[in-house]
Amino acid sequence: MLQWDWSVSLDSNSRADRRARTRPPTDAIESAPVASGGGLTDRLIGYRQALEEHFCITVTDRSGRLIEVNERFCNIVGYADSELLGQHYQKLCPDGNDGSIDQMWETVQSGRTWRGLLRDRAKTGVEVWFESIVIPRFNSGGVIEQFVTISTDITPIHAQAQTLRAMIEYFPGGLALIDRDLTVIATNKLYRTLLDIPEELFANGDPKIETLVRFRAQRGDYGPLPVEEAVEQRMRILLSPVPITTERNEVTGKVLEIRCVPVHGGGHLNTYLDVTDRRRAENELMRAHATLQAFIKHAPAAVAMFDPDMRYIAYTDRWLHDYGLTGQSLIGRSHYEVFPEIPQHWREKHKRILAGAMETSPEEIFHRADGSTNIIRWEVRPWHLADNSIGGMMMLTEEISERKRLERQLWKLAKEDSLTGLPNRLQFHEYLQAALKSVDETGGQCAIGLIDVDRFKETNDILGHAAGDELLKEVGRRLSTALEPYGRVARLGGDEFAVMISTGSVDTRLSPAIDAIFDALRTPITVAGGQHRCTISLGISLYPSDATSASELLKNADLALYRAKDLGRDRCQFFLPEMRASFERSYQLQRDMQRALANGELELFFQPIVSFEATRPASFEALLRWNHPERGLLAPGDFESIFEDPKAAADIGKWVIMQALRQAAAWQRTGVDFGRIAVNVTSADFALGTFSDFVCETLIATGMSADRLCIEVTEGVFLGRGATGVANALQSLHDLGVEIALDDFGTGFASLSHLKKLPIDRLKVDRSFVRDMETNPDNMAIVRTIAHLGQSLGIKVTVEGVESISQLTLLRAMGCETMQGYLFARPMRSSQVPAFIARDRALSA
């Protein structure tokens, strides 16, 4: 038996430790001194019996080996004491104790008492749970000798607790248990999820319900109410003295059904069920029911249900309206009583329906007894009971008289141009197909003309869209009147009109029709309070001589129209086969250029720009060449039609600038001494508004400084559309240090005001003035004037097309210091430039 030393002192002054000292194990009771009179001995024996009967007692040495177990403990774990004594306590918990064993040993090894739950495993393998207190026992020297454990078997209670915990956790809603102190002592995960309560609020133990409510109020879960008011309202509901059920729409969109039930003895049990789907389903059901009722009553078609005897059992308001029965009740009345005029063949049809047939009609006229008529679409079918037997007949009729009127109106809208009232593209194509068919069947020919109003965009931009519309309406009216004896006119869209003239076997009608078209527009049109001279371009193609199909005929007329525009507008042009060949050549050229850009077929040649200042090296103008795989080396004049496509022109322009600067950088790296690289640009380069940015990025990418680049523009570039954007881009490049040259100066409409407004650094005299200036006094005067103008304005002048010594002498006498022409060198490949510069340097010396 253990000997309990009542004089032992624990290493803790806590109230729990002091209480532990008052609960000696059984050996302590046996070894206690006997008090006089035997009273103390009796009490100690009673204590021991009580402990033995109601508690499990074990004693272990410092290493954890069992040195004493009482009978109750053995009975619970199912081991005999002989099987346990001398064994390590771990025998009873081979799979650990979720860290509680480690925590217990750490506590008692430090001399303190430990309380907590211990999980042992009985001999049968069943888990046994104990609520235990472990007390360290000290020897007289104050050293721990043994550990006494006094435990209560709480396995049934623990099982019930686990069951309750599972019930709480797996409750099909959120659950919160609030004790009488208003502490939330139990919740499940779904509670925290539904209310979106963070786990941090539970980190320091069970929170107060007010803490959770206040958190949600501060977060705005209860709407715009002040926090204190919201907390007060929610607390009043959650702590209701009587059971209540409420419903809340959470900010998350969920609908929660909340039940608050007071618990006997104090506290509350609150449950939260997510009824979002249920409410949504209920609302959908209610909506569907309301929709069905509304459909039955307010369906846009007339619907009626009959029993097998053709008595009314249901009908829509539209049924009453369509048949002039408003205000009458038809329930129970016979259909044939309401409509005695129903013909016999309809009555026979009703019998077929009641036998299981179904019949429909897209359109039928119903003659009423009062002489009126209804144009109706109808469908009649049986309706079935739950046992699939026929319960009667359902009749759906739709009054479509108004629809027929609207269909005629919509047809008109679909086939007529809303602005001019003329046939539109759709109706014109129908007319065209019919005309071609007639020609095929009866012979003769048909002429198709496409018309564009000349410079309509400028008119629209200057006078406004309203004025433009008025102009188009008047043009359409005049064309329609002029062509009335000859054919048809249609508006295809925008300012494009089409005419169709059936000329019969000879073209005697065609020439008068064309004259009538142009005569109709000779008189000015009053637009926006002013007289407007309106001209047109007309392209004509003939069937079947020019084409064999409608699409081909229109394409040919379109080509003829473009030729009329190219020839100066205000004219008529008939289609010629070479137009298509020209178009196809242009199209093929466009495709070849796309291939050339991709395959590296383009090349830059360089023509020197010679300076007569001894210290200034020659500059070079980059000139585009195309090494065509079939046609050989091409100059831009051989493929100038490509530049009519703004995108193609812009792509080529970017390539030229990039290649020119790359070549300049290569010369610079190899020590080639040159002045500037000049590059010609077009309006297409400025179209997107990013030209100056592109040039700047390319200079940076190639490592070239801006003062080594010259941008050459013609007068048409900055005098055309988008002049402001061009001027801004040139100014940005000029500010960067790029030289701006005005090319072909004197051939256009540039004025001195433009030279003052634009950042022009150099004028280039066009070669056309230089070619015959020795024999043409006017050209001599122009060149001299430009040279003096440049000197007066401080603008450098370069003369192009210098081909003879005599021209050079005259130009030098005028003070021209920079020249370009075959006299000095023809355009050369980049590989020839270093040799030219060396020769030029020798000549200068």
Side-chain angles (χ1 to χ4, degrees):
M1 287 299 202
L2 288 172
Q3 301 298 314
W4 182 261
D5 186 359
W6 287 93
S7 65
V8 67
S9 114
L10 299 179
D11 232 4
S12 171
N13 291 323
S14 69
R15 182 180 303 169
D17 290 337
R18 290 194 299 273
R19 285 200 303 268
R21 296 187 189 116
T22 66
R23 299 180 187 172
T26 55
D27 61 336
I29 296 174
E30 289 179 346
S31 60
V34 179
S36 59
L40 179 57
T41 300
D42 293 340
R43 287 198 300 274
L44 290 177
I45 292 172
Y47 293 156
R48 174 177 178 177
Q49 290 175 346
L51 286 172
E52 288 286 351
E53 289 178 8
H54 299 289
F55 295 94
C56 299
I57 301 173
T58 62
V59 180
T60 61
D61 60 16
R62 286 178 57 87
S63 66
R65 295 192 177 278
L66 291 163
I67 58 178
E68 183 177 346
V69 293
N70 71 345
E71 182 180 355
R72 181 170 177 78
F73 179 78
C74 291
N75 291 338
I76 290 174
V77 298
Y79 286 100
D81 55 359
S82 59
E83 294 178 285
L84 295 176
L85 295 178
Q87 298 292 323
H88 197 278
Y89 196 89
Q90 192 173 359
K91 177 182 179 70
L92 296 169
C93 49
D95 53 350
N97 237 302
D98 301 326
S100 57
I101 287 289
D102 296 337
Q103 183 187 17
M104 182 270 291
W105 280 114
E106 181 181 352
T107 301
V108 297
Q109 291 281 7
S110 66
R112 291 174 294 143
T113 299
W114 178 86
R115 281 188 178 82
L117 297 182
L118 291 176
R119 175 172 55 85
D120 289 344
R121 191 169 297 281
K123 187 175 182 179
T124 60
V126 175
E127 288 186 350
V128 183
W129 286 85
F130 294 102
E131 183 177 9
S132 304
I133 176 171
V134 183
I135 307 168
R137 180 181 178 192
F138 299 86
N139 62 16
S140 58
V143 177
I144 298 174
E145 285 185 336
Q146 299 169 344
F147 300 101
V148 180
T149 301
I150 303 174
S151 305
T152 301
D153 179 14
I154 61 167
T155 302
I157 298 175
H158 184 271
Q160 294 174 3
Q162 287 293 93
T163 301
L164 179 60
R165 188 173 295 111
M167 291 172 61
I168 293 174
E169 190 60 39
Y170 295 106
F171 181 71
L175 187 146
L177 185 59
I178 307 167
D179 67 10
R180 67 177 64 192
D181 296 326
L182 305 186
T183 300
V184 182
I185 59 174
T187 64
N188 62 357
K189 183 178 181 180
L190 193 52
Y191 168 82
R192 299 187 291 276
T193 300
L194 290 176
L195 302 187
D196 193 20
I197 298 176
E199 296 293 337
E200 289 78 4
L201 294 180
F202 296 86
N204 297 322
D206 297 335
K208 295 289 186 178
I209 183 61
E210 184 177 346
T211 302
L212 304 184
V213 172
R214 187 173 300 280
F215 169 79
R216 297 194 66 204
Q218 291 171 343
R219 192 172 60 183
D221 291 5
Y222 304 129
L225 286 175
V227 171
E228 294 303 324
E229 185 177 345
V231 170
E232 181 182 352
Q233 286 187 9
R234 293 309 299 166
M235 291 292 287
R236 190 181 308 121
I237 294 172
L238 296 177
L239 303 178
S240 170
V242 294
I244 61 170
T245 300
T246 62
E247 202 168 271
R248 266 193 60 78
N249 295 312
E250 294 293 313
V251 295
T252 58
K254 292 184 180 299
V255 181
L256 301 183
E257 181 184 89
I258 305 171
R259 295 183 179 179
C260 306
V261 181
V263 179
H264 181 70
H268 284 77
L269 176 64
N270 295 343
T271 61
Y272 300 78
L273 293 179
D274 183 355
V275 295
T276 308
D277 293 340
R278 186 201 305 171
R279 293 294 178 263
R280 185 182 297 118
E282 290 174 353
N283 291 336
E284 288 295 330
L285 183 60
M286 292 171 60
R287 193 157 39 243
H289 180 70
T291 301
L292 180 60
Q293 291 297 319
F295 172 76
I296 293 175
K297 185 171 180 59
H298 304 296
V303 181
M305 293 181 68
F306 304 90
D307 66 13
D309 297 323
M310 292 300 294
R311 289 189 297 265
Y312 283 91
I313 58 176
Y315 49 86
T316 64
D317 287 353
R318 188 59 179 267
W319 180 274
L320 299 176
H321 173 271
D322 283 358
Y323 298 109
L325 303 172
T326 304
Q328 298 188 37
S329 175
L330 305 181
I331 300 299
R333 294 178 62 186
S334 168
H335 182 49
Y336 305 129
E337 174 194 344
V338 176
F339 295 106
E341 63 269 31
I342 291 178
Q344 184 60 36
H345 71 276
W346 279 26
R347 297 174 187 245
E348 297 299 325
K349 173 185 64 182
H350 297 162
K351 293 178 181 179
R352 294 193 300 271
I353 302 303
L354 291 172
M358 184 188 81
E359 295 185 20
T360 64
S361 174
E363 182 178 332
E364 188 169 344
I365 298 177
F366 177 37
H367 297 281
R368 302 290 303 277
D370 59 4
S372 62
T373 59
N374 295 97
I375 303 177
I376 61 173
R377 177 187 70 84
W378 56 261
E379 177 179 316
V380 187
R381 64 173 64 211
W383 60 269
H384 296 81
L385 299 172
D387 61 0
N388 208 34
S389 62
I390 294 177
M393 184 177 73
M394 177 178 288
M395 187 181 300
L396 182 150
T397 67
E398 183 180 3
E399 227 293 339
I400 58 175
S401 301
E402 179 66 12
R403 178 191 293 180
K404 287 296 180 181
R405 186 187 67 80
L406 290 175
E407 283 178 357
R408 290 191 294 272
Q409 184 176 351
L410 288 173
W411 181 93
K412 185 177 180 181
L413 292 174
K415 300 295 181 69
E416 288 187 1
D417 175 55
S418 60
L419 178 65
T420 63
L422 296 173
N424 61 11
R425 183 184 296 271
L426 178 62
Q427 191 171 5
F428 179 76
H429 276 276
E430 292 177 356
Y431 289 154
L432 177 57
Q433 293 291 351
L436 299 189
K437 183 178 180 182
S438 175
V439 170
D440 291 339
E441 293 174 351
T442 62
Q445 63 180 351
C446 176
I448 294 299
L450 294 181
I451 297 174
D452 268 5
V453 179
D454 294 336
R455 295 183 176 86
F456 176 73
K457 187 177 188 307
E458 287 91 334
T459 303
N460 216 26
D461 292 343
I462 294 171
L463 300 181
H465 291 285
D469 288 347
E470 289 300 317
L471 177 65
L472 292 175
K473 285 195 288 187
E474 180 61 17
V475 169
R477 187 190 67 78
R478 293 190 183 187
L479 291 176
S480 181
T481 301
L483 280 173
E484 189 172 355
Y486 306 103
R488 299 177 181 274
V489 61
R491 180 180 177 227
L492 303 186
D495 64 324
E496 186 178 10
F497 293 84
V499 297
M500 182 175 64
I501 304 168
S502 297
T503 61
S505 58
V506 294
D507 59 354
T508 53
R509 287 163 52 88
L510 184 55
S511 181
I514 294 173
D515 291 340
I517 289 172
F518 281 89
D519 288 343
L521 296 172
R522 296 196 192 282
T523 304
I525 297 174
T526 302
V527 176
Q531 295 293 302
H532 182 79
R533 171 85 162 79
C534 180
T535 63
I536 60 170
S537 298
L538 170 61
I540 293 181
S541 179
L542 302 177
Y543 181 86
S545 57
D546 292 338
T548 58
S549 67
S551 60
E552 186 180 2
L553 190 65
L554 288 169
K555 288 177 183 177
N556 292 344
D558 204 31
L559 290 174
L561 173 62
Y562 277 109
R563 177 62 61 86
K565 289 182 175 181
D566 290 342
L567 294 175
R569 299 184 172 89
D570 191 19
R571 67 185 62 232
C572 172
Q573 176 66 52
F574 281 85
F575 170 76
L576 298 173
E578 56 263 31
M579 292 179 185
R580 177 160 295 281
S582 175
F583 171 77
E584 290 174 352
R585 283 196 302 271
S586 177
Y587 176 73
Q588 185 60 44
L589 200 59
Q590 294 282 356
R591 296 190 60 175
D592 289 349
M593 177 54 72
Q594 293 174 4
R595 184 203 64 228
L597 285 168
N599 295 345
E601 297 174 10
L602 300 184
E603 181 182 1
L604 291 183
F605 275 46
F606 299 89
Q607 185 174 27
I609 303 172
V610 177
S611 173
F612 288 90
E613 297 180 26
T615 60
R616 188 178 298 276
S619 296
F620 292 86
E621 180 178 0
L623 301 172
L624 181 64
R625 297 293 184 268
W626 182 359
N627 291 298
H628 197 284
E630 298 173 0
R631 299 169 60 190
L633 188 66
L634 304 180
D638 298 319
F639 53 89
E640 61 184 355
S641 62
I642 288 177
F643 295 94
E644 296 174 3
D645 179 3
K647 184 180 184 308
D651 290 342
I652 295 171
K654 285 185 176 182
W655 183 90
V656 169
I657 291 175
M658 178 67 76
Q659 291 303 117
L661 288 175
R662 285 176 177 172
Q663 183 59 63
W667 288 337
Q668 186 171 269
R669 286 194 299 272
T670 57
V672 176
D673 188 17
F674 66 96
R676 285 187 171 88
I677 290 292
V679 178
N680 292 279
V681 297
T682 67
S683 299
D685 295 300
F686 296 94
L688 295 179
T690 58
F691 178 70
S692 59
D693 293 335
F694 170 73
V695 172
C696 182
E697 292 168 2
T698 307
L699 287 168
I700 294 172
T702 57
M704 294 299 296
S705 60
D707 60 1
R708 305 301 293 274
L709 176 64
C710 174
I711 294 295
E712 296 187 6
V713 295
T714 62
E715 299 169 11
V717 172
F718 63 79
L719 293 180
R721 296 179 189 173
T724 302
V726 172
N728 292 337
L730 294 178
Q731 187 65 55
S732 297
L733 293 174
H734 180 269
D735 294 343
L736 197 64
V738 176
E739 183 180 74
I740 308 300
L742 182 56
D743 199 11
D744 300 338
F745 184 69
T747 61
F749 302 96
S751 64
L752 292 179
S753 63
H754 291 117
L755 297 182
K756 291 175 62 179
K757 292 178 182 178
L758 296 168
I760 305 298
D761 301 299
R762 182 179 299 275
L763 300 177
K764 297 194 74 175
V765 181
D766 188 68
R767 68 184 71 248
S768 63
F769 300 122
V770 178
R771 183 181 304 114
D772 61 349
M773 71 177 183
E774 296 170 276
T775 60
N776 187 325
D778 291 338
N779 284 350
M780 177 73 80
I782 290 173
V783 174
R784 182 182 292 110
T785 300
I786 295 175
H788 291 167
L789 176 65
Q791 293 165 9
S792 300
L793 296 177
I795 299 175
K796 296 182 282 292
V797 177
T798 295
V799 182
E800 298 179 316
V802 181
E803 299 183 358
S804 67
I805 294 295
S806 59
Q807 291 173 344
L808 170 63
T809 303
L810 286 171
L811 293 170
R812 292 283 288 133
M814 295 177 192
C816 298
E817 296 293 334
T818 309
M819 301 180 199
Q820 181 179 356
Y822 287 176
L823 176 62
F824 309 105
R826 291 177 177 272
M828 62 189 71
R829 283 188 159 90
S830 60
S831 59
Q832 299 171 291
V833 168
F836 171 83
I837 290 178
R839 185 171 68 253
D840 181 59
R841 190 179 298 120
L843 288 173
S844 299

